[in-house]
């Protein structure tokens, strides 16, 4: 389905690895810590420091599994030629492309709110000690209606290469000449191939605000040792494709279950908007909500006796936990932390009603030709899983082959075929999650993990109570829901799913 890519020469020595990193890079891979920027709810962004340029300057880019380009929603990488008020928000932290190689291609994207435009250039990009000599990226000269900050300067796209806007205009090639290949394609095709990660996967874990139980990491060919002791616990599946190929990390949704008074209530998920037997969902770390159709949203909240407010959005009493799980493909159900599913209004932490972080987005999800699918599983879902984006299939025990791709003349890799698989491992223990919800929402206390055991769940250990029994033991009483309208900025307005 996807073309083979081979490029990205690794020149000189790898740069020094940060003391916070795990692993040394090269064939062994590396685990890099991520920083959570923003409030952690409505404007959550998990950023990674990287270096761009021949005289490298550090930028903080959001890791985004819904985009393939090394480009920033805030604003691709704002360049020194940008004079808009949005670029002024960077405090002078702007990318200077004057020493980069021009491609004579212009990048532009129009959102429902906002516009970004600028030239595409080739420049050196360093991440975790891995250096790509000629990575295609966009240097934004015009940015409107984007809240740039000194700590959030760009985006590192981790969607599959076919979803790349830049690659659609600058075709990838199979030698070391500069082209438009996505960053991940270049990373796993570094030459000499002995310097590239031997395990061709990227992975993510996303922290929860106020808790250190699950850290934020980006893994490059290496699992974080404190989360993954047994790689076989990561369950892999094939991806849902479209006519043009596999664009997103997209899976099928087999079931959604809401637990009410200890009893499971199945939500009718129906068929996909494409006519497929099951609806599909894209995993997207760049969206701070779970977005779905009104039918599914009504089913989830309806299990609690809640309907949409007068503004069409959903509100839940702040003391009521939304206990639910999602079943994807043939995996066991994945429980979601109730603190991830509702949020206090940004201007009132004493409010009676909280904003549901599962919302309907019918205009964006009802078009079967959009390629998005029927749901977007954003940050509220991904905080509950360790996510592995594999570019080749793992072995039955969850490990990846150590084989080195064959090379042609000049050390160029000749086989970089992408055979993607998505791996997920649940990180949320329902008993711990409910206890943390009660601590925060009912006792108004911060979460403390210092006296708790590790809250991750990888499928091993002693027998655990079912999700329904746990909910029965800890469920708080219902409150009658009245209409409470809070302002909410729809992050989807700032995103366009390409192709």
């Amino acid at each position: 389905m996807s073309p083979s890519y081979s490029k990205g020469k690794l020149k000189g020595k790898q740069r020094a690895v940060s003391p916070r990193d795990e692993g040394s890079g090269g064939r062994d891979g590396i685990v890099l810590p991520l920083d959570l920027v923003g409030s952690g709810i409505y404007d959550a962004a998990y950023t990674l420091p990287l270096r761009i340029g021949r005289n490298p300057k550090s930028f903080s880019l959001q890791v985004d599994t819904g985009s393939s380009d090394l480009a920033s929603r805030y604003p691709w990488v704002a360049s020194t030629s940008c004079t808009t008020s949005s670029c002024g928000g960077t405090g002078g932290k702007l990318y200077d492309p004057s020493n980069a190689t021009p491609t004579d291609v212009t990048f532009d994207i129009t959102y429902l709110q906002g516009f970004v435009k600028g030239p595409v250039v080739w420049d050196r990009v360093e991440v975790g000690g891995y250096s790509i000599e000629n990575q295609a990226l966009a240097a934004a000269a015009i940015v409107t209606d984007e809240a740039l900050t000194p700590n959030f300067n760009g985006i590192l796209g981790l969607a599959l290469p076919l979803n790349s806007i830049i690659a659609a205009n600058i075709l990838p090639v199979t030698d070391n000449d500069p082209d438009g290949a996505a960053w991940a394609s270049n990373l796993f095709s570094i030459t000499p191939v002995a310097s590239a990660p031997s395990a061709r996967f990227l992975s993510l874990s996303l922290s929860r605000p106020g808790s250190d139980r699950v850290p934020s990491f980006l893994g490059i060919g290496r699992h974080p040792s404190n989360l993954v002791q047994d790689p076989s616990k990561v369950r892999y599946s094939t991806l849902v494709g479209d006519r043009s190929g596999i664009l997103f990390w997209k899976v099928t949704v087999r079931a959604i279950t809401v637990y009410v008074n200890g009893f499971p209530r199945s939500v009718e998920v129906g068929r996909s908007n494409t006519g497929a037997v099951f609806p599909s969902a894209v995993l997207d770390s760049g969206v701070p909500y779970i977005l779905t159709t009104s039918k599914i949203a009504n089913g989830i909240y309806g299990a609690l006796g809640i309907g949409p407010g007068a503004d069409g959005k959903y509100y839940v009493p702040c003391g009521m936990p939304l206990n639910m799980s999602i079943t994807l493909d043939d995996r066991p159900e994945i429980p979601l932390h109730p603190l991830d599913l509702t949020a206090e209004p940004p201007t009132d932490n004493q409010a009676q009603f909280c904003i549901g972080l599962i919302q309907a987005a019918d205009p964006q999800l009802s078009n079967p030709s959009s390629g998005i699918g029927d749901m977007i599983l954003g940050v509220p879902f991904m905080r509950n899983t360790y996510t592995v984006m594999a570019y080749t299939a793992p072995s039955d025990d969850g490990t990846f082959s150590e084989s080195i791709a064959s090379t042609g003349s000049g050390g160029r890799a000749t086989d970089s075929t992408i055979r993607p698989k998505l791996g997920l491992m649940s990180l949320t223990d329902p008993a711990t999650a409910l206890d943390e919800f009660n601590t925060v929402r009912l006792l108004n206390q911060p979460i403390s993990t210092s006296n708790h055991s590790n809250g991750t769940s990888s499928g091993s250990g002693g027998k655990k109570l079912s999700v329904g029994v746990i909910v029965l033991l800890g469920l708080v009483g219902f409150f009658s829901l009245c209409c409470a309208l809070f302002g909410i900025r729809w992050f989807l307005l700032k995103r366009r799913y390409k192709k």
Side-chain angles (χ1 to χ4, degrees):
M1 301 285 286
S2 300
S4 300
Y5 305 139
S6 305
K7 70 199 46 7
K9 191 176 294 182
L10 183 65
K11 280 191 174 181
K13 296 181 180 179
Q14 292 184 350
R15 69 173 177 82
V17 174
S18 166
R20 295 197 302 164
D21 302 340
E22 177 184 338
S24 57
R27 297 293 289 167
D28 293 334
I30 195 168
V31 176
L32 303 170
L34 302 176
D35 295 317
L36 176 56
V37 177
S39 69
I41 305 295
Y42 309 104
D43 55 351
Y46 294 87
T47 64
L48 176 74
L50 51 74
R51 289 152 58 88
I52 302 176
R54 307 297 168 182
N55 296 309
K57 180 178 178 180
S58 180
F59 295 91
S60 295
L61 270 63
Q62 181 187 27
V63 291
D64 183 357
T65 61
S67 171
S68 283
D69 294 305
L70 185 68
S72 170
R73 185 179 304 106
Y74 301 97
W76 274 265
V77 178
S79 74
T80 51
S81 60
C82 181
T83 59
T84 66
S85 59
S86 293
C87 291
T90 65
K93 195 169 185 180
L94 299 169
Y95 167 60
D96 182 0
S98 60
N99 293 321
T101 303
T103 67
D104 298 324
V105 171
T106 298
F107 182 100
D108 67 86
I109 187 167
T110 301
Y111 301 100
L112 296 181
Q113 293 180 0
F115 175 72
V116 178
K117 182 177 181 179
V120 177
V121 299
W122 286 302
D123 211 339
R124 177 185 294 165
V125 173
E126 301 174 11
V127 180
Y130 297 101
S131 178
I132 310 296
E133 287 297 299
N134 291 293
Q135 175 64 55
L137 63 143
I142 300 174
V143 184
T144 62
D145 297 323
E146 295 288 357
L148 304 181
T149 72
N151 299 318
F152 183 15
N153 322 121
I155 195 169
L156 182 63
L158 302 182
L160 288 157
L162 277 179
N163 189 43
S164 171
I165 298 173
I166 292 176
N169 293 284
I170 308 174
L171 295 179
V173 298
T174 56
D175 57 28
N176 278 329
D177 291 337
D179 68 358
W183 172 75
S185 295
N186 284 334
L187 170 70
F188 294 122
S189 300
I190 282 175
T191 55
V193 293
S195 299
S198 63
R200 295 174 63 197
F201 72 83
L202 301 170
S203 65
L204 278 180
S205 63
L206 304 182
S207 63
R208 184 169 295 109
S211 173
D212 59 1
R213 189 176 298 281
V214 175
S216 295
F217 286 133
L218 170 71
I220 301 177
R222 186 185 184 99
H223 297 301
S225 58
N226 63 336
L227 290 182
V228 183
Q229 290 80 38
D230 181 358
S232 69
K233 302 302 181 183
V234 181
R235 300 285 296 271
Y236 290 87
S237 67
T238 56
L239 299 174
V240 177
D242 301 287
R243 290 183 179 180
S244 55
I246 300 176
L247 305 180
F248 298 105
W249 300 102
K250 184 163 61 173
V251 292
T252 59
V253 179
R254 300 296 179 90
I256 297 175
T257 306
V258 179
Y259 291 88
V260 182
N261 292 326
F263 296 98
R265 293 191 180 181
S266 296
V267 175
E268 177 61 42
V269 297
R271 301 175 70 94
S272 172
N273 60 25
T274 64
V277 175
F278 296 104
S280 61
V282 171
L283 273 69
D284 192 339
S285 62
V287 174
Y289 304 102
I290 294 175
L291 300 176
T292 184
T293 62
S294 56
K295 177 182 177 180
I296 292 178
N298 286 336
I300 292 172
Y301 291 105
L304 302 178
I306 295 172
D311 60 353
K313 300 179 179 67
Y314 299 87
Y315 302 91
V316 180
C318 290
M320 177 190 294
L322 173 52
N323 296 282
M324 62 174 285
S325 66
I326 298 180
T327 302
L328 302 176
D329 299 321
D330 59 350
R331 298 176 176 87
E333 64 178 339
I334 298 173
L336 305 186
H337 200 301
L339 285 176
D340 294 329
L341 300 180
T342 62
E344 294 170 329
T347 58
D348 185 4
N349 61 4
Q350 300 296 320
Q352 182 181 1
F353 294 99
C354 282
I355 301 169
L357 296 182
I358 301 174
Q359 294 287 344
D362 288 322
Q364 291 79 18
L365 299 175
S366 59
N367 182 4
S369 64
S370 68
I372 303 172
D374 306 275
M375 297 183 70
I376 299 173
L377 299 178
V379 169
F381 174 85
M382 296 187 70
R383 282 176 175 154
N384 294 275
T385 62
Y386 173 64
T387 303
V388 181
M389 295 158 284
Y391 284 70
T392 188
S395 304
D396 291 341
D397 62 359
T399 60
F400 289 81
S401 172
E402 293 284 335
S403 62
I404 299 178
S406 58
T407 58
S409 61
R412 294 182 177 91
T414 59
D415 182 12
S416 298
T417 305
I418 296 173
R419 304 177 181 89
K421 299 279 186 177
L422 180 68
L424 296 174
M425 185 180 75
S426 176
L427 297 177
T428 297
D429 176 75
T432 302
L434 189 59
D435 179 65
E436 291 180 340
F437 180 90
N438 291 336
T439 298
V440 172
R441 294 288 176 83
L442 301 184
L443 302 179
N444 199 28
Q445 298 291 326
I447 297 173
S448 174
T449 60
S450 59
N451 295 322
H452 291 267
S453 60
N454 193 308
T456 63
S457 175
S458 58
S460 60
K463 183 177 180 181
K464 294 184 172 71
L465 294 175
S466 69
V467 176
V469 172
I470 292 166
V471 173
L472 177 62
L473 294 176
L475 188 70
V476 297
F478 280 88
F479 300 92
S480 59
L481 182 64
C482 51
C483 183
L485 303 180
F486 301 112
I488 184 171
R489 182 171 80 93
W490 278 104
F491 198 85
L492 192 61
L493 298 181
K494 293 293 188 181
R495 168 179 291 282
R496 180 182 73 178
Y497 280 83
K498 187 69 176 176
K499 298 180 184 175

